[in-house]
């Protein structure tokens, strides 16, 4: 793969359950996208979700913060059950950060304003304080000097790092990554992965939909393979890559690792 | 063979472009004489301007008479000066007050003047964000319309002036500015309502927009001037100008709603998803994320609609209100000044052009200011 991040030392995963998905189903109209998904995530886990396109992996993590609505089954995040109750949805979204494939930065706001916006309006943090926090996270993703620029003036890799900083400003307990490097030029993938590795080292609970198998091998403690809306196989990365069980997984890996 | 000195691969320095490509000469070459077709068009254009402009200037300025007591007087003055008579602007000069104030009582016209100044002062902080103390100034902008309404209509200590005395440019400005200021928020609300997930709200908005768009403004103005009397309980008086203001505002808001809907649809879905994922509430996302971008995209369409609305105010003549165009036509009946319709129409055209062109320039200024490189 395009880059091989340095290995994350074995982090201890706590046995505190932060996400519990039970018998979850989702349909788009009459199309059954997610079929009986069961997943439990403990605090500190780094989970990589992979699978062919259309397998429902993005939909799965988008269900966790209710960007998509599930129709059956339970999703419990940080002890809050995801229902139609807006209060619960807001509570969960305050704890869960998300990074998108296309960054989704707000183009009419500067980088700093992008980062400080949600703390100011959702958490009522005073502007000065929110901006100071934003600068802190911009320094962590190594682009403090771009704070006053607009997203359109940054490269893709820089934009994605801003997006990560923007999520971190809300001080989330869980981070969701929806193909964070798929829209990037090869040269920029590493700078984004490096930031994600840093996050993992600090013990952030992460769910990451990605095709970066190098990242999966070194950072993840668990790899989940999905196909046709179902979780086909899940294992630690070592077993997953060296000893895949399911035929479908073997085929996928042979295709993705072929060159 | 290349005369260039050789460079090590990868170390070629940045060179200035050839002199024929830059500066005035470069510009002229590129834009006026780049091809045979272009040369022909350039020459024809210059010839056309040569034919058109000097006589136009003669008519408007050099052969024009600026002060006289009648058309015959104008002719005599031109003859005495030894040239053909151009425009007889004296007519406009004599009629100027009625063009500006309509039939507004002479001794109360100071109220119109103050209203005009208040309007400019109230618009300033809305249009430009580098006004000092903008926050306080915006409060003033919020109150100003009520003060202006009071000044113009009177009552509460001021002599009441019935609205059928309104006319000329003050009438155009009253209808135009009210329509513009009123239709933008209503249009935004309609556009958001049309996108709502609540079917009832959506249907009301769609029905309203489609009804208003499907009916000519003239029809609505007729409805405003006659039909409403049938619908309203007998004895209710409902000021004619107020009805016109409401109709014009509603009419324009339907168009604004559709323009803004276009802007809303142009935004990627990821914007609202990002706002959602950070926990922003619906109105927060709309106010902070979606509308600033959607309105920015919609600026050309919004201003286009406003310019249309501003010019459509001339239609009020058919329900008996006298805007500048109506005043002009009425003035033509004066036997002392017969046959001077050109002067009147040119004058009214200049007034409308100045207003509309200012709006167009402001729109460009705003687009440039809001451009953030995406």
């Amino acid at each position: 793969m395009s880059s091989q991040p340095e290995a994350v030392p074995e982090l201890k995963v706590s046995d505190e359950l932060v996400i519990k998905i039970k018998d979850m189903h989702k349909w788009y109209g009459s199309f059954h996208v997610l079929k009986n998904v069961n997943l439990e995530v403990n605090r500190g886990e780094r989970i990589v979700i992979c699978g062919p396109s259309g397998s429902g992996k993005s939909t799965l993590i988008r269900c966790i913060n209710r960007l998509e609505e599930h129709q059956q089954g339970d999703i419990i995040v940080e002890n809050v059950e995801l229902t139609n109750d807006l209060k619960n949805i807001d509570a969960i979204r305050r704890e869960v950060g998300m990074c998108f494939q296309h960054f989704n930065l707000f183009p009419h706001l500067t980088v700093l304003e992008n980062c400080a916006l949600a703390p100011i309006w959702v958490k009522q943090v005073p502007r000065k304080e929110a901006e100071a926090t934003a600068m802190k996270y911009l320094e962590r993703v190594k682009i403090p000097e771009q704070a006053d620029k607009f997203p359109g003036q940054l490269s893709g890799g820089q934009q994605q790092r801003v997006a990560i900083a923007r999520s971190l400003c809300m001080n989330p307990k869980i981070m969701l990554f929806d193909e964070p490097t798929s829209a990037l030029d090869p040269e920029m993938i590493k700078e984004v992965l490096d930031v994600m590795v840093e996050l993992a080292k600090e013990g952030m609970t992460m769910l990451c939909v990605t095709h970066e198998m190098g990242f999966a091998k070194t950072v993840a403690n668990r790899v989940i393979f999905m196909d046709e809306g179902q979780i086909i196989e899940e294992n630690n990365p070592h077993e997953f890559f060296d000893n895949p069980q399911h035929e479908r997984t073997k085929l996928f890996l042979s295709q993705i690792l072929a060159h | 063979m290349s005369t260039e000195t050789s460079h090590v691969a990868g170390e070629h320095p940045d060179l200035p472009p050839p002199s024929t490509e830059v500066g005035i000469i470069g510009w002229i070459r590129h834009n006026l004489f780049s091809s045979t077709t272009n040369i022909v068009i350039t020459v024809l254009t210059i010839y056309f301007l040569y034919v058109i402009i000097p006589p136009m200037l003669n008519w408007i300025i050099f052969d024009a008479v600026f002060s006289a007591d009648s058309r015959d007087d104008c002719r005599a003055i031109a003859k005495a000066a030894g040239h053909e008579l151009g425009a007889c602007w004296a007519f406009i000069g004599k009629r100027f007050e009625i063009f500006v104030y309509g039939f507004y009582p002479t001794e109360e016209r100071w109220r119109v003047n103050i209203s005009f100044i208040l309007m400019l002062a109230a618009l300033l902080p809305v249009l430009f964000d580098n006004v000092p103390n903008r926050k306080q100034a915006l409060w003033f902008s919020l109150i100003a319309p009520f003060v202006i309404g009071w000044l113009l209509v009177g009552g509460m200590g001021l002599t009441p002036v019935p609205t059928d005395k309104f006319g000329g440019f003050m009438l155009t400005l009253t209808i135009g500015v009210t329509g513009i200021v009123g239709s933008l928020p209503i249009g935004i609300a309609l556009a958001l309502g049309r996108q709502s997930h609540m079917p009832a709200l959506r249907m009301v908005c769609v029905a309203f927009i489609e009804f208003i768009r499907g009916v000519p403004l003239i029809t609505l103005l007729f409805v405003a001037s006659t039909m409403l009397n049938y619908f309203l309980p007998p004895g209710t008086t409902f000021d004619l100008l107020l009805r016109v203001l409401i109709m014009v505002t509603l009419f324009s808001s339907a168009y604004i709603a559709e323009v803004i809907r276009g802007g809303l649809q142009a935004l990627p879905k990821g914007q609202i998803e990002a706002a959602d994922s950070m926990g922003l509430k619906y109105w927060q996302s709309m106010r902070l994320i979606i509308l600033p971008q959607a309105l920015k995209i919609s600026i050309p369409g919004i201003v286009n609609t406003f310019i249309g609305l501003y010019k459509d105010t001339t239609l009020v003549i058919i329900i008996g209100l006298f805007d500048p165009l109506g005043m002009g036509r009425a003035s033509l009946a004066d036997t002392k000044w017969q046959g001077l319709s050109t002067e009147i129409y040119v004058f009214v055209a200049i007034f409308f052009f100045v207003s509309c062109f200012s709006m167009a320039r402001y729109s460009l200024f705003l687009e440039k200011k809001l451009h953030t490189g995406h």
Side-chain angles (χ1 to χ4, degrees):
Chain A
M1 300 280 10
S2 52
S3 56
Q4 199 69 263
E6 57 178 311
V8 172
E10 262 322 298
L11 283 167
K12 116 173 158 295
V13 169
S14 102
D15 49 13
E16 182 193 354
L17 197 62
V18 289
I19 300 176
K20 184 181 162 78
I21 299 175
K22 195 166 174 292
D23 303 333
M24 192 259 277
H25 292 261
K26 170 165 181 63
W27 289 263
Y28 282 131
S30 61
F31 176 56
H32 202 169
V33 246
L34 292 176
K35 301 167 185 163
N36 197 36
V37 173
N38 285 283
L39 178 65
E40 294 192 348
V41 182
N42 288 340
R43 189 166 316 285
E45 280 205 275
R46 288 96 44 209
I47 295 177
V48 162
I49 303 169
C50 59
S53 78
S55 60
K57 46 196 197 307
S58 284
T59 310
L60 171 60
I61 67 165
R62 288 160 60 88
C63 280
I64 294 174
N65 65 352
R66 215 2 118 93
L67 288 185
E68 306 285 354
E69 196 178 332
H70 64 284
Q71 280 91 24
Q72 253 178 50
D74 305 324
I75 300 178
I76 297 165
V77 184
E78 296 282 349
N79 296 319
V80 180
E81 182 171 359
L82 203 46
T83 59
N84 280 325
D85 190 343
L86 287 178
K87 247 211 226 124
N88 289 6
I89 297 175
D90 283 341
I92 288 173
R93 283 176 177 168
R94 269 198 293 272
E95 306 292 349
V96 179
M98 184 158 196
C99 289
F100 300 87
Q101 181 177 4
H102 297 289
F103 333 128
N104 299 355
L105 293 176
F106 306 130
H108 61 303
L109 301 175
T110 64
V111 164
L112 190 67
E113 288 166 339
N114 261 280
C115 294
L117 184 88
I120 290 172
W121 291 96
V122 179
K123 290 192 163 171
Q124 275 82 41
V125 177
R127 178 174 294 271
K128 278 245 164 62
E129 202 180 306
E131 285 181 354
T133 315
M135 277 315 288
K136 191 182 90 188
Y137 284 112
L138 286 175
E139 266 157 40
R140 266 187 47 185
V141 299
K142 303 189 179 64
I143 34 175
E145 72 283 359
Q146 313 284 9
D148 294 322
K149 290 200 180 159
F150 287 100
Q153 297 166 309
L154 306 187
S155 74
Q158 289 173 324
Q159 291 195 43
Q160 190 61 292
R161 283 186 285 152
V162 171
I164 295 175
R166 178 175 74 173
S167 297
L168 293 179
C169 282
M170 285 295 281
N171 205 8
K173 299 196 175 113
I174 302 164
M175 282 290 293
L176 308 175
F177 292 88
D178 188 2
E179 305 206 28
T181 56
S182 302
L184 297 178
D185 288 338
E187 284 172 309
M188 295 165 184
I189 291 177
K190 187 174 179 306
E191 64 187 56
V192 171
L193 289 182
D194 284 348
V195 170
M196 290 168 64
V197 170
E198 283 300 312
L199 262 184
K201 280 184 185 167
E202 287 158 24
M204 176 66 79
T205 310
M206 297 163 66
L207 275 82
C208 188
V209 174
T210 183
H211 296 121
E212 293 297 326
M213 290 304 134
F215 177 80
K217 277 179 192 161
T218 50
V219 177
N221 68 315
R222 194 143 54 112
V223 180
I224 289 174
F225 176 74
M226 289 185 72
D227 192 23
E228 293 178 351
Q230 300 163 73
I231 295 181
I232 304 283
E233 186 165 346
E234 61 176 291
N235 217 327
N236 66 57
H238 183 72
E239 283 292 308
F240 181 83
F241 289 108
D242 294 345
N243 188 18
Q245 302 298 312
H246 203 278
E247 273 313 308
R248 194 63 195 83
T249 318
K250 286 178 192 164
L251 180 66
F252 176 76
L253 286 176
S254 73
Q255 278 165 348
I256 203 167
L257 299 174
H259 36 152
Chain B
M1 212 187 90
S2 166
T3 54
E4 220 183 310
T5 44
S6 59
H7 295 279
V8 181
E11 289 183 11
H12 197 293
D14 294 338
L15 299 175
S19 59
T20 50
E21 297 297 309
V22 290
I24 298 172
I25 295 174
W27 188 89
I28 289 176
R29 267 175 61 108
H30 268 291
N31 294 290
L32 300 181
F33 301 105
S34 61
S35 66
T36 325
T37 326
N38 201 345
I39 292 171
V40 171
I41 292 173
T42 303
V43 171
L44 281 177
T45 309
I46 292 171
Y47 176 72
F48 179 72
L49 291 177
Y50 166 76
V51 170
I52 280 284
I53 288 187
M56 209 162 85
L57 285 178
N58 280 343
W59 188 82
I60 293 178
I61 298 170
F62 302 120
D63 292 347
V65 174
F66 291 90
S67 89
D69 287 324
S70 69
R71 196 178 185 198
D72 291 339
D73 210 9
C74 270
R75 284 211 192 88
I77 291 170
K79 206 168 184 188
H83 56 70
E84 291 266 301
L85 175 59
C88 182
W89 295 124
F91 179 37
I92 305 291
K94 287 274 188 268
R95 292 274 168 174
F96 190 72
E97 296 225 321
I98 211 166
F99 267 116
V100 175
Y101 300 104
F103 310 115
Y104 211 84
T106 319
E107 63 279 10
E108 303 292 337
R109 286 180 183 171
W110 60 272
R111 282 152 58 177
V112 178
N113 296 341
I114 292 184
S115 299
F116 183 69
I117 294 166
L118 282 178
M119 180 197 81
L120 292 183
L123 282 177
L124 219 58
V126 176
L127 297 181
F128 302 99
D129 61 3
N130 51 1
V131 176
N133 298 327
R134 186 166 185 236
K135 264 212 176 115
Q136 289 89 320
L138 282 174
W139 280 109
F140 168 73
S141 307
L142 208 64
I143 302 165
F146 300 99
V147 179
I148 292 173
W150 169 62
L151 277 173
L152 291 181
V153 181
M156 291 192 298
L158 288 174
T159 321
V161 177
T163 52
D164 56 8
K165 298 274 186 237
F166 285 30
F169 296 143
M170 67 148 312
L171 181 67
T172 303
L173 281 177
T174 307
I175 302 174
V177 174
T178 310
I180 287 171
V181 171
S183 64
L184 188 59
I186 299 178
I188 292 174
L190 284 171
L192 292 178
R194 190 166 187 169
Q195 303 236 309
S196 165
H197 294 297
M198 288 175 263
L201 179 61
R202 195 170 58 231
M203 267 163 54
V204 169
C205 292
V206 172
F208 177 85
I209 292 169
E210 297 304 344
F211 170 71
I212 297 273
R213 283 205 303 172
V215 178
L217 179 57
I218 292 189
T219 314
L220 289 177
L221 289 176
F222 270 130
V223 170
S225 73
T226 58
M227 300 284 279
L228 278 183
N229 283 342
Y230 295 113
F231 297 140
L232 293 170
T236 26
T237 51
F238 204 66
D239 188 84
L240 178 61
L241 180 63
L242 187 60
R243 288 184 232 164
V244 170
L245 290 180
I246 293 173
M247 283 305 182
V248 167
T249 306
L250 293 182
F251 185 78
S252 154
S253 67
Y255 284 85
I256 293 289
E258 285 300 281
V259 171
I260 293 176
R261 188 166 69 97
L264 289 171
Q265 283 177 346
L267 290 189
K269 208 169 151 240
Q271 291 290 307
I272 192 80
E273 287 181 352
D276 279 349
S277 76
M278 295 193 303
L280 290 171
K281 302 249 190 325
Y282 174 80
W283 285 110
Q284 290 177 331
S285 321
M286 288 302 137
R287 193 163 71 79
L288 301 166
I289 309 298
I290 303 302
L291 283 176
Q293 296 184 60
L295 290 177
K296 195 202 111 182
I297 303 172
S298 318
I299 288 172
I302 292 175
V303 174
N304 197 23
T305 309
F306 283 165
I307 288 176
L309 166 128
Y310 193 78
K311 293 190 297 182
D312 278 352
T313 56
T314 50
L315 289 175
V316 295
I317 189 174
I318 59 151
I319 56 166
L321 293 172
F322 285 87
D323 81 311
L325 204 56
M327 283 299 173
R329 291 172 63 95
S331 307
L332 288 176
D334 191 334
T335 44
K336 265 166 71 183
W337 299 97
Q338 260 173 353
L340 292 179
S341 54
T342 319
E343 279 83 347
I344 287 190
Y345 291 134
V346 167
F347 176 62
V348 172
I350 290 172
F351 164 72
F352 276 101
F353 179 77
V354 168
S355 313
C356 296
F357 189 65
S358 315
M359 285 193 246
R361 296 310 296 184
Y362 177 73
S363 135
L364 281 181
F365 156 80
L366 207 57
E367 280 172 58
K368 224 180 213 159
K369 195 189 76 165
L370 296 177
H371 182 74
T372 55
H374 55 278

